[in-house]
PDB file of all heavy atoms in Angstrom:
ATOM      1  N   ARG A   1     -19.783   5.614  15.498  1.00 74.00           N
ATOM      2  CA  ARG A   1     -20.741   6.618  15.949  1.00 74.00           C
ATOM      3  C   ARG A   1     -20.001   7.910  16.241  1.00 74.00           C
ATOM      4  O   ARG A   1     -19.113   7.960  17.099  1.00 74.00           O
ATOM      5  CB  ARG A   1     -21.477   6.116  17.194  1.00 74.00           C
ATOM      6  CG  ARG A   1     -22.560   7.058  17.657  1.00 74.00           C
ATOM      7  CD  ARG A   1     -23.404   6.399  18.723  1.00 74.00           C
ATOM      8  NE  ARG A   1     -24.486   7.295  19.139  1.00 74.00           N
ATOM      9  CZ  ARG A   1     -25.434   6.944  19.998  1.00 74.00           C
ATOM     10  NH1 ARG A   1     -25.424   5.699  20.516  1.00 74.00           N
ATOM     11  NH2 ARG A   1     -26.384   7.802  20.341  1.00 74.00           N
ATOM     12  N   LEU A   2     -20.410   8.986  15.537  1.00 73.00           N
ATOM     13  CA  LEU A   2     -19.754  10.277  15.691  1.00 73.00           C
ATOM     14  C   LEU A   2     -20.788  11.341  16.021  1.00 73.00           C
ATOM     15  O   LEU A   2     -21.878  11.381  15.432  1.00 73.00           O
ATOM     16  CB  LEU A   2     -19.030  10.694  14.405  1.00 73.00           C
ATOM     17  CG  LEU A   2     -17.840   9.850  13.944  1.00 73.00           C
ATOM     18  CD1 LEU A   2     -17.345  10.352  12.590  1.00 73.00           C
ATOM     19  CD2 LEU A   2     -16.723   9.927  14.961  1.00 73.00           C
ATOM     20  N   GLU A   3     -20.431  12.198  16.947  1.00 71.00           N
ATOM     21  CA  GLU A   3     -21.241  13.378  17.168  1.00 71.00           C
ATOM     22  C   GLU A   3     -20.924  14.396  16.065  1.00 71.00           C
ATOM     23  O   GLU A   3     -19.874  14.341  15.432  1.00 71.00           O
ATOM     24  CB  GLU A   3     -20.922  13.985  18.546  1.00 71.00           C
ATOM     25  CG  GLU A   3     -21.192  13.055  19.720  1.00 71.00           C
ATOM     26  CD  GLU A   3     -22.674  12.767  19.891  1.00 71.00           C
ATOM     27  OE1 GLU A   3     -23.493  13.609  19.418  1.00 71.00           O
ATOM     28  OE2 GLU A   3     -23.026  11.720  20.472  1.00 71.00           O
ATOM     29  N   ALA A   4     -21.811  15.323  15.872  1.00 69.00           N
ATOM     30  CA  ALA A   4     -21.627  16.311  14.814  1.00 69.00           C
ATOM     31  C   ALA A   4     -20.319  17.076  14.983  1.00 69.00           C
ATOM     32  O   ALA A   4     -19.601  17.354  14.017  1.00 69.00           O
ATOM     33  CB  ALA A   4     -22.817  17.276  14.783  1.00 69.00           C
ATOM     34  N   ARG A   5     -19.961  17.389  16.270  1.00 68.00           N
ATOM     35  CA  ARG A   5     -18.746  18.163  16.509  1.00 68.00           C
ATOM     36  C   ARG A   5     -17.476  17.349  16.285  1.00 68.00           C
ATOM     37  O   ARG A   5     -16.381  17.894  16.198  1.00 68.00           O
ATOM     38  CB  ARG A   5     -18.765  18.708  17.934  1.00 68.00           C
ATOM     39  CG  ARG A   5     -18.870  17.624  18.993  1.00 68.00           C
ATOM     40  CD  ARG A   5     -18.953  18.206  20.405  1.00 68.00           C
ATOM     41  NE  ARG A   5     -19.146  17.182  21.398  1.00 68.00           N
ATOM     42  CZ  ARG A   5     -18.187  16.392  21.871  1.00 68.00           C
ATOM     43  NH1 ARG A   5     -16.952  16.544  21.425  1.00 68.00           N
ATOM     44  NH2 ARG A   5     -18.464  15.473  22.786  1.00 68.00           N
ATOM     45  N   GLU A   6     -17.647  15.998  16.212  1.00 70.00           N
ATOM     46  CA  GLU A   6     -16.477  15.128  16.045  1.00 70.00           C
ATOM     47  C   GLU A   6     -16.175  14.790  14.586  1.00 70.00           C
ATOM     48  O   GLU A   6     -15.151  14.194  14.284  1.00 70.00           O
ATOM     49  CB  GLU A   6     -16.689  13.822  16.822  1.00 70.00           C
ATOM     50  CG  GLU A   6     -16.814  14.031  18.326  1.00 70.00           C
ATOM     51  CD  GLU A   6     -17.157  12.737  19.043  1.00 70.00           C
ATOM     52  OE1 GLU A   6     -18.016  11.965  18.509  1.00 70.00           O
ATOM     53  OE2 GLU A   6     -16.565  12.473  20.107  1.00 70.00           O
ATOM     54  N   ARG A   7     -17.080  15.158  13.675  1.00 73.00           N
ATOM     55  CA  ARG A   7     -16.889  14.812  12.262  1.00 73.00           C
ATOM     56  C   ARG A   7     -15.801  15.677  11.632  1.00 73.00           C
ATOM     57  O   ARG A   7     -15.827  16.904  11.756  1.00 73.00           O
ATOM     58  CB  ARG A   7     -18.202  14.989  11.506  1.00 73.00           C
ATOM     59  CG  ARG A   7     -19.274  14.011  11.949  1.00 73.00           C
ATOM     60  CD  ARG A   7     -20.613  14.318  11.305  1.00 73.00           C
ATOM     61  NE  ARG A   7     -21.654  13.435  11.827  1.00 73.00           N
ATOM     62  CZ  ARG A   7     -22.944  13.583  11.568  1.00 73.00           C
ATOM     63  NH1 ARG A   7     -23.352  14.606  10.798  1.00 73.00           N
ATOM     64  NH2 ARG A   7     -23.827  12.737  12.086  1.00 73.00           N
ATOM     65  N   PRO A   8     -14.826  15.055  10.944  1.00 74.00           N
ATOM     66  CA  PRO A   8     -13.755  15.822  10.309  1.00 74.00           C
ATOM     67  C   PRO A   8     -14.313  16.753   9.230  1.00 74.00           C
ATOM     68  O   PRO A   8     -15.250  16.419   8.511  1.00 74.00           O
ATOM     69  CB  PRO A   8     -12.866  14.742   9.686  1.00 74.00           C
ATOM     70  CG  PRO A   8     -13.195  13.494  10.436  1.00 74.00           C
ATOM     71  CD  PRO A   8     -14.647  13.604  10.795  1.00 74.00           C
ATOM     72  N   THR A   9     -13.723  17.943   9.151  1.00 68.00           N
ATOM     73  CA  THR A   9     -14.137  18.919   8.133  1.00 68.00           C
ATOM     74  C   THR A   9     -13.047  19.192   7.104  1.00 68.00           C
ATOM     75  O   THR A   9     -13.261  19.951   6.160  1.00 68.00           O
ATOM     76  CB  THR A   9     -14.533  20.242   8.798  1.00 68.00           C
ATOM     77  OG1 THR A   9     -13.426  20.731   9.574  1.00 68.00           O
ATOM     78  CG2 THR A   9     -15.746  20.047   9.705  1.00 68.00           C
ATOM     79  N   SER A  10     -11.887  18.588   7.277  1.00 74.00           N
ATOM     80  CA  SER A  10     -10.790  18.778   6.324  1.00 74.00           C
ATOM     81  C   SER A  10      -9.963  17.511   6.278  1.00 74.00           C
ATOM     82  O   SER A  10     -10.065  16.648   7.153  1.00 74.00           O
ATOM     83  CB  SER A  10      -9.919  19.976   6.726  1.00 74.00           C
ATOM     84  OG  SER A  10      -9.366  19.781   8.013  1.00 74.00           O
ATOM     85  N   ILE A  11      -9.145  17.422   5.251  1.00 73.00           N
ATOM     86  CA  ILE A  11      -8.308  16.238   5.065  1.00 73.00           C
ATOM     87  C   ILE A  11      -6.993  16.691   4.443  1.00 73.00           C
ATOM     88  O   ILE A  11      -6.915  17.682   3.718  1.00 73.00           O
ATOM     89  CB  ILE A  11      -9.020  15.201   4.163  1.00 73.00           C
ATOM     90  CG1 ILE A  11      -8.232  13.890   4.124  1.00 73.00           C
ATOM     91  CG2 ILE A  11      -9.228  15.737   2.763  1.00 73.00           C
ATOM     92  CD1 ILE A  11      -8.973  12.770   3.390  1.00 73.00           C
ATOM     93  N   GLY A  12      -5.934  15.968   4.749  1.00 70.00           N
ATOM     94  CA  GLY A  12      -4.648  16.308   4.179  1.00 70.00           C
ATOM     95  C   GLY A  12      -3.524  15.938   5.106  1.00 70.00           C
ATOM     96  O   GLY A  12      -3.735  15.515   6.255  1.00 70.00           O
ATOM     97  N   SER A  13      -2.271  16.124   4.637  1.00 67.00           N
ATOM     98  CA  SER A  13      -1.111  15.695   5.419  1.00 67.00           C
ATOM     99  C   SER A  13      -0.932  16.511   6.687  1.00 67.00           C
ATOM    100  O   SER A  13      -0.317  16.055   7.648  1.00 67.00           O
ATOM    101  CB  SER A  13       0.154  15.805   4.556  1.00 67.00           C
ATOM    102  OG  SER A  13       0.331  17.148   4.109  1.00 67.00           O
ATOM    103  N   GLY A  14      -1.474  17.733   6.728  1.00 70.00           N
ATOM    104  CA  GLY A  14      -1.324  18.564   7.928  1.00 70.00           C
ATOM    105  C   GLY A  14      -2.531  18.516   8.839  1.00 70.00           C
ATOM    106  O   GLY A  14      -2.660  19.367   9.721  1.00 70.00           O
ATOM    107  N   THR A  15      -3.415  17.547   8.629  1.00 77.00           N
ATOM    108  CA  THR A  15      -4.651  17.475   9.407  1.00 77.00           C
ATOM    109  C   THR A  15      -4.683  16.178  10.219  1.00 77.00           C
ATOM    110  O   THR A  15      -4.351  15.116   9.709  1.00 77.00           O
ATOM    111  CB  THR A  15      -5.874  17.533   8.474  1.00 77.00           C
ATOM    112  OG1 THR A  15      -5.817  18.742   7.719  1.00 77.00           O
ATOM    113  CG2 THR A  15      -7.161  17.492   9.282  1.00 77.00           C
ATOM    114  N   ILE A  16      -5.076  16.283  11.509  1.00 76.00           N
ATOM    115  CA  ILE A  16      -5.208  15.116  12.380  1.00 76.00           C
ATOM    116  C   ILE A  16      -6.674  14.936  12.727  1.00 76.00           C
ATOM    117  O   ILE A  16      -7.353  15.889  13.106  1.00 76.00           O
ATOM    118  CB  ILE A  16      -4.382  15.275  13.678  1.00 76.00           C
ATOM    119  CG1 ILE A  16      -2.892  15.438  13.337  1.00 76.00           C
ATOM    120  CG2 ILE A  16      -4.597  14.081  14.615  1.00 76.00           C
ATOM    121  CD1 ILE A  16      -2.028  15.728  14.556  1.00 76.00           C
ATOM    122  N   TRP A  17      -7.153  13.696  12.534  1.00 76.00           N
ATOM    123  CA  TRP A  17      -8.536  13.380  12.905  1.00 76.00           C
ATOM    124  C   TRP A  17      -8.537  12.759  14.319  1.00 76.00           C
ATOM    125  O   TRP A  17      -7.871  11.747  14.558  1.00 76.00           O
ATOM    126  CB  TRP A  17      -9.150  12.369  11.932  1.00 76.00           C
ATOM    127  CG  TRP A  17      -9.451  12.934  10.564  1.00 76.00           C
ATOM    128  CD1 TRP A  17      -9.268  14.207  10.145  1.00 76.00           C
ATOM    129  CD2 TRP A  17      -9.999  12.211   9.468  1.00 76.00           C
ATOM    130  NE1 TRP A  17      -9.649  14.351   8.857  1.00 76.00           N
ATOM    131  CE2 TRP A  17     -10.122  13.139   8.383  1.00 76.00           C
ATOM    132  CE3 TRP A  17     -10.398  10.901   9.270  1.00 76.00           C
ATOM    133  CZ2 TRP A  17     -10.620  12.767   7.151  1.00 76.00           C
ATOM    134  CZ3 TRP A  17     -10.907  10.539   8.038  1.00 76.00           C
ATOM    135  CH2 TRP A  17     -11.028  11.461   6.975  1.00 76.00           C
ATOM    136  N   HIS A  18      -9.303  13.328  15.214  1.00 71.00           N
ATOM    137  CA  HIS A  18      -9.490  12.772  16.552  1.00 71.00           C
ATOM    138  C   HIS A  18     -10.852  12.093  16.565  1.00 71.00           C
ATOM    139  O   HIS A  18     -11.896  12.756  16.558  1.00 71.00           O
ATOM    140  CB  HIS A  18      -9.432  13.875  17.620  1.00 71.00           C
ATOM    141  CG  HIS A  18      -8.102  14.558  17.696  1.00 71.00           C
ATOM    142  ND1 HIS A  18      -7.017  14.019  18.373  1.00 71.00           N
ATOM    143  CD2 HIS A  18      -7.672  15.733  17.166  1.00 71.00           C
ATOM    144  CE1 HIS A  18      -5.980  14.831  18.268  1.00 71.00           C
ATOM    145  NE2 HIS A  18      -6.352  15.884  17.539  1.00 71.00           N
ATOM    146  N   LEU A  19     -10.842  10.758  16.578  1.00 76.00           N
ATOM    147  CA  LEU A  19     -12.074   9.983  16.471  1.00 76.00           C
ATOM    148  C   LEU A  19     -12.320   9.207  17.761  1.00 76.00           C
ATOM    149  O   LEU A  19     -11.371   8.786  18.464  1.00 76.00           O
ATOM    150  CB  LEU A  19     -11.988   8.998  15.299  1.00 76.00           C
ATOM    151  CG  LEU A  19     -11.740   9.610  13.921  1.00 76.00           C
ATOM    152  CD1 LEU A  19     -11.567   8.510  12.875  1.00 76.00           C
ATOM    153  CD2 LEU A  19     -12.873  10.554  13.526  1.00 76.00           C
ATOM    154  N   PRO A  20     -13.556   8.949  18.085  1.00 78.00           N
ATOM    155  CA  PRO A  20     -13.882   8.155  19.287  1.00 78.00           C
ATOM    156  C   PRO A  20     -13.352   6.725  19.163  1.00 78.00           C
ATOM    157  O   PRO A  20     -13.130   6.217  18.060  1.00 78.00           O
ATOM    158  CB  PRO A  20     -15.420   8.169  19.318  1.00 78.00           C
ATOM    159  CG  PRO A  20     -15.817   9.344  18.478  1.00 78.00           C
ATOM    160  CD  PRO A  20     -14.762   9.472  17.434  1.00 78.00           C
ATOM    161  N   GLU A  21     -13.171   6.112  20.315  1.00 77.00           N
ATOM    162  CA  GLU A  21     -12.696   4.732  20.322  1.00 77.00           C
ATOM    163  C   GLU A  21     -13.700   3.828  19.620  1.00 77.00           C
ATOM    164  O   GLU A  21     -14.911   3.998  19.748  1.00 77.00           O
ATOM    165  CB  GLU A  21     -12.496   4.274  21.770  1.00 77.00           C
ATOM    166  CG  GLU A  21     -11.872   2.891  21.890  1.00 77.00           C
ATOM    167  CD  GLU A  21     -11.614   2.500  23.335  1.00 77.00           C
ATOM    168  OE1 GLU A  21     -11.822   3.347  24.227  1.00 77.00           O
ATOM    169  OE2 GLU A  21     -11.222   1.345  23.565  1.00 77.00           O
ATOM    170  N   GLY A  22     -13.189   2.882  18.821  1.00 75.00           N
ATOM    171  CA  GLY A  22     -14.042   1.939  18.109  1.00 75.00           C
ATOM    172  C   GLY A  22     -14.331   2.328  16.669  1.00 75.00           C
ATOM    173  O   GLY A  22     -14.923   1.538  15.918  1.00 75.00           O
ATOM    174  N   CYS A  23     -13.941   3.505  16.289  1.00 80.00           N
ATOM    175  CA  CYS A  23     -14.148   3.923  14.881  1.00 80.00           C
ATOM    176  C   CYS A  23     -13.069   3.328  13.993  1.00 80.00           C
ATOM    177  O   CYS A  23     -11.924   3.106  14.419  1.00 80.00           O
ATOM    178  CB  CYS A  23     -14.129   5.447  14.769  1.00 80.00           C
ATOM    179  SG  CYS A  23     -15.574   6.261  15.453  1.00 80.00           S
ATOM    180  N   SER A  24     -13.432   3.061  12.763  1.00 81.00           N
ATOM    181  CA  SER A  24     -12.452   2.603  11.756  1.00 81.00           C
ATOM    182  C   SER A  24     -12.563   3.513  10.540  1.00 81.00           C
ATOM    183  O   SER A  24     -13.627   4.061  10.236  1.00 81.00           O
ATOM    184  CB  SER A  24     -12.721   1.143  11.367  1.00 81.00           C
ATOM    185  OG  SER A  24     -14.045   0.986  10.890  1.00 81.00           O
ATOM    186  N   VAL A  25     -11.432   3.674   9.840  1.00 80.00           N
ATOM    187  CA  VAL A  25     -11.378   4.562   8.664  1.00 80.00           C
ATOM    188  C   VAL A  25     -10.713   3.836   7.509  1.00 80.00           C
ATOM    189  O   VAL A  25     -10.029   2.816   7.692  1.00 80.00           O
ATOM    190  CB  VAL A  25     -10.612   5.867   8.971  1.00 80.00           C
ATOM    191  CG1 VAL A  25     -11.282   6.652  10.081  1.00 80.00           C
ATOM    192  CG2 VAL A  25      -9.167   5.545   9.347  1.00 80.00           C
ATOM    193  N   GLY A  26     -10.925   4.378   6.341  1.00 72.00           N
ATOM    194  CA  GLY A  26     -10.280   3.821   5.150  1.00 72.00           C
ATOM    195  C   GLY A  26     -10.521   4.725   3.943  1.00 72.00           C
ATOM    196  O   GLY A  26     -11.131   5.796   4.058  1.00 72.00           O
ATOM    197  N   MET A  27     -10.015   4.298   2.786  1.00 72.00           N
ATOM    198  CA  MET A  27     -10.188   5.042   1.539  1.00 72.00           C
ATOM    199  C   MET A  27     -10.934   4.163   0.546  1.00 72.00           C
ATOM    200  O   MET A  27     -10.550   3.004   0.292  1.00 72.00           O
ATOM    201  CB  MET A  27      -8.835   5.455   0.952  1.00 72.00           C
ATOM    202  CG  MET A  27      -8.012   6.367   1.862  1.00 72.00           C
ATOM    203  SD  MET A  27      -8.798   7.970   2.156  1.00 72.00           S
ATOM    204  CE  MET A  27      -8.509   8.764   0.587  1.00 72.00           C
ATOM    205  N   LEU A  28     -12.000   4.707  -0.017  1.00 70.00           N
ATOM    206  CA  LEU A  28     -12.807   3.982  -0.993  1.00 70.00           C
ATOM    207  C   LEU A  28     -12.240   4.249  -2.384  1.00 70.00           C
ATOM    208  O   LEU A  28     -12.169   5.396  -2.831  1.00 70.00           O
ATOM    209  CB  LEU A  28     -14.266   4.447  -0.914  1.00 70.00           C
ATOM    210  CG  LEU A  28     -15.275   3.694  -1.783  1.00 70.00           C
ATOM    211  CD1 LEU A  28     -15.391   2.238  -1.333  1.00 70.00           C
ATOM    212  CD2 LEU A  28     -16.638   4.383  -1.697  1.00 70.00           C
ATOM    213  N   GLU A  29     -11.801   3.186  -3.068  1.00 66.00           N
ATOM    214  CA  GLU A  29     -11.213   3.334  -4.398  1.00 66.00           C
ATOM    215  C   GLU A  29     -11.872   2.361  -5.368  1.00 66.00           C
ATOM    216  O   GLU A  29     -12.257   1.259  -5.004  1.00 66.00           O
ATOM    217  CB  GLU A  29      -9.706   3.066  -4.356  1.00 66.00           C
ATOM    218  CG  GLU A  29      -8.928   4.071  -3.552  1.00 66.00           C
ATOM    219  CD  GLU A  29      -7.430   3.822  -3.642  1.00 66.00           C
ATOM    220  OE1 GLU A  29      -6.791   4.366  -4.556  1.00 66.00           O
ATOM    221  OE2 GLU A  29      -6.926   3.047  -2.804  1.00 66.00           O
ATOM    222  N   PHE A  30     -11.933   2.779  -6.659  1.00 64.00           N
ATOM    223  CA  PHE A  30     -12.530   1.946  -7.693  1.00 64.00           C
ATOM    224  C   PHE A  30     -11.521   0.893  -8.160  1.00 64.00           C
ATOM    225  O   PHE A  30     -10.365   1.205  -8.445  1.00 64.00           O
ATOM    226  CB  PHE A  30     -12.936   2.834  -8.885  1.00 64.00           C
ATOM    227  CG  PHE A  30     -13.458   2.058 -10.055  1.00 64.00           C
ATOM    228  CD1 PHE A  30     -14.743   1.545 -10.054  1.00 64.00           C
ATOM    229  CD2 PHE A  30     -12.658   1.832 -11.172  1.00 64.00           C
ATOM    230  CE1 PHE A  30     -15.228   0.846 -11.118  1.00 64.00           C
ATOM    231  CE2 PHE A  30     -13.140   1.127 -12.249  1.00 64.00           C
ATOM    232  CZ  PHE A  30     -14.422   0.628 -12.231  1.00 64.00           C
ATOM    233  N   THR A  31     -11.976  -0.366  -8.212  1.00 62.00           N
ATOM    234  CA  THR A  31     -11.071  -1.437  -8.631  1.00 62.00           C
ATOM    235  C   THR A  31     -11.676  -2.326  -9.705  1.00 62.00           C
ATOM    236  O   THR A  31     -11.093  -3.328 -10.091  1.00 62.00           O
ATOM    237  CB  THR A  31     -10.692  -2.317  -7.424  1.00 62.00           C
ATOM    238  OG1 THR A  31     -11.891  -2.860  -6.850  1.00 62.00           O
ATOM    239  CG2 THR A  31      -9.948  -1.515  -6.369  1.00 62.00           C
ATOM    240  N   GLY A  32     -12.878  -1.986 -10.234  1.00 60.00           N
ATOM    241  CA  GLY A  32     -13.537  -2.843 -11.217  1.00 60.00           C
ATOM    242  C   GLY A  32     -12.968  -2.707 -12.617  1.00 60.00           C
ATOM    243  O   GLY A  32     -12.011  -1.970 -12.856  1.00 60.00           O
ATOM    244  N   ALA A  33     -13.583  -3.442 -13.560  1.00 65.00           N
ATOM    245  CA  ALA A  33     -13.092  -3.466 -14.940  1.00 65.00           C
ATOM    246  C   ALA A  33     -13.904  -2.584 -15.885  1.00 65.00           C
ATOM    247  O   ALA A  33     -13.668  -2.574 -17.077  1.00 65.00           O
ATOM    248  CB  ALA A  33     -13.111  -4.906 -15.473  1.00 65.00           C
ATOM    249  N   GLY A  34     -14.876  -1.839 -15.363  1.00 67.00           N
ATOM    250  CA  GLY A  34     -15.739  -1.036 -16.230  1.00 67.00           C
ATOM    251  C   GLY A  34     -14.988   0.018 -17.015  1.00 67.00           C
ATOM    252  O   GLY A  34     -15.246   0.238 -18.203  1.00 67.00           O
ATOM    253  N   LEU A  35     -14.052   0.701 -16.364  1.00 75.00           N
ATOM    254  CA  LEU A  35     -13.289   1.742 -17.048  1.00 75.00           C
ATOM    255  C   LEU A  35     -12.459   1.165 -18.188  1.00 75.00           C
ATOM    256  O   LEU A  35     -12.344   1.769 -19.255  1.00 75.00           O
ATOM    257  CB  LEU A  35     -12.373   2.469 -16.057  1.00 75.00           C
ATOM    258  CG  LEU A  35     -13.038   3.526 -15.175  1.00 75.00           C
ATOM    259  CD1 LEU A  35     -12.021   4.097 -14.204  1.00 75.00           C
ATOM    260  CD2 LEU A  35     -13.626   4.633 -16.033  1.00 75.00           C
ATOM    261  N   GLU A  36     -11.883   0.019 -17.971  1.00 77.00           N
ATOM    262  CA  GLU A  36     -11.060  -0.594 -19.021  1.00 77.00           C
ATOM    263  C   GLU A  36     -11.916  -0.964 -20.224  1.00 77.00           C
ATOM    264  O   GLU A  36     -11.470  -0.848 -21.372  1.00 77.00           O
ATOM    265  CB  GLU A  36     -10.369  -1.838 -18.462  1.00 77.00           C
ATOM    266  CG  GLU A  36      -9.455  -2.552 -19.468  1.00 77.00           C
ATOM    267  CD  GLU A  36      -8.369  -1.640 -20.036  1.00 77.00           C
ATOM    268  OE1 GLU A  36      -7.923  -0.722 -19.310  1.00 77.00           O
ATOM    269  OE2 GLU A  36      -7.969  -1.844 -21.200  1.00 77.00           O
ATOM    270  N   ALA A  37     -13.164  -1.382 -19.983  1.00 79.00           N
ATOM    271  CA  ALA A  37     -14.047  -1.703 -21.101  1.00 79.00           C
ATOM    272  C   ALA A  37     -14.354  -0.468 -21.935  1.00 79.00           C
ATOM    273  O   ALA A  37     -14.368  -0.516 -23.174  1.00 79.00           O
ATOM    274  CB  ALA A  37     -15.343  -2.323 -20.570  1.00 79.00           C
ATOM    275  N   LEU A  38     -14.595   0.670 -21.269  1.00 80.00           N
ATOM    276  CA  LEU A  38     -14.843   1.916 -21.992  1.00 80.00           C
ATOM    277  C   LEU A  38     -13.608   2.356 -22.776  1.00 80.00           C
ATOM    278  O   LEU A  38     -13.694   2.795 -23.924  1.00 80.00           O
ATOM    279  CB  LEU A  38     -15.245   3.021 -21.019  1.00 80.00           C
ATOM    280  CG  LEU A  38     -16.673   2.978 -20.478  1.00 80.00           C
ATOM    281  CD1 LEU A  38     -16.857   4.007 -19.364  1.00 80.00           C
ATOM    282  CD2 LEU A  38     -17.670   3.226 -21.600  1.00 80.00           C
ATOM    283  N   ARG A  39     -12.451   2.225 -22.121  1.00 80.00           N
ATOM    284  CA  ARG A  39     -11.204   2.611 -22.797  1.00 80.00           C
ATOM    285  C   ARG A  39     -10.961   1.742 -24.017  1.00 80.00           C
ATOM    286  O   ARG A  39     -10.574   2.230 -25.089  1.00 80.00           O
ATOM    287  CB  ARG A  39     -10.039   2.490 -21.821  1.00 80.00           C
ATOM    288  CG  ARG A  39      -8.674   2.807 -22.414  1.00 80.00           C
ATOM    289  CD  ARG A  39      -7.596   2.728 -21.342  1.00 80.00           C
ATOM    290  NE  ARG A  39      -6.275   2.902 -21.915  1.00 80.00           N
ATOM    291  CZ  ARG A  39      -5.554   1.932 -22.467  1.00 80.00           C
ATOM    292  NH1 ARG A  39      -6.060   0.684 -22.493  1.00 80.00           N
ATOM    293  NH2 ARG A  39      -4.366   2.157 -22.971  1.00 80.00           N
ATOM    294  N   GLN A  40     -11.222   0.450 -23.914  1.00 82.00           N
ATOM    295  CA  GLN A  40     -11.019  -0.453 -25.044  1.00 82.00           C
ATOM    296  C   GLN A  40     -12.005  -0.146 -26.168  1.00 82.00           C
ATOM    297  O   GLN A  40     -11.660  -0.235 -27.347  1.00 82.00           O
ATOM    298  CB  GLN A  40     -11.184  -1.903 -24.582  1.00 82.00           C
ATOM    299  CG  GLN A  40     -10.817  -2.934 -25.653  1.00 82.00           C
ATOM    300  CD  GLN A  40      -9.382  -2.781 -26.133  1.00 82.00           C
ATOM    301  OE1 GLN A  40      -8.447  -2.683 -25.332  1.00 82.00           O
ATOM    302  NE2 GLN A  40      -9.193  -2.736 -27.451  1.00 82.00           N
ATOM    303  N   ALA A  41     -13.227   0.238 -25.808  1.00 81.00           N
ATOM    304  CA  ALA A  41     -14.213   0.605 -26.831  1.00 81.00           C
ATOM    305  C   ALA A  41     -13.731   1.809 -27.632  1.00 81.00           C
ATOM    306  O   ALA A  41     -13.902   1.872 -28.860  1.00 81.00           O
ATOM    307  CB  ALA A  41     -15.558   0.909 -26.178  1.00 81.00           C
TER     308      ALA A  41
END
């Protein structure tokens, strides 16, 4: 749960996110086989 003022507006090695306790973060990445099927086609 984030208030509007707490939502990060930038990202990068020089940026620190201050998030409320209980928040979790991660990076969403594609791991399926769809791209390989297109490449093989």
Side-chain angles (χ1 to χ4, degrees):
R1 184 170 182 175
L2 295 175
E3 300 293 337
R5 58 183 176 79
E6 297 174 319
R7 294 173 185 171
T9 57
S10 60
I11 188 173
S13 59
T15 302
I16 300 175
W17 288 358
H18 297 279
L19 301 175
E21 186 177 354
C23 288
S24 57
V25 299
M27 299 296 286
L28 185 65
E29 294 185 89
F30 175 77
T31 58
L35 281 177
E36 181 57 31
L38 284 171
R39 178 177 175 276
Q40 187 58 49

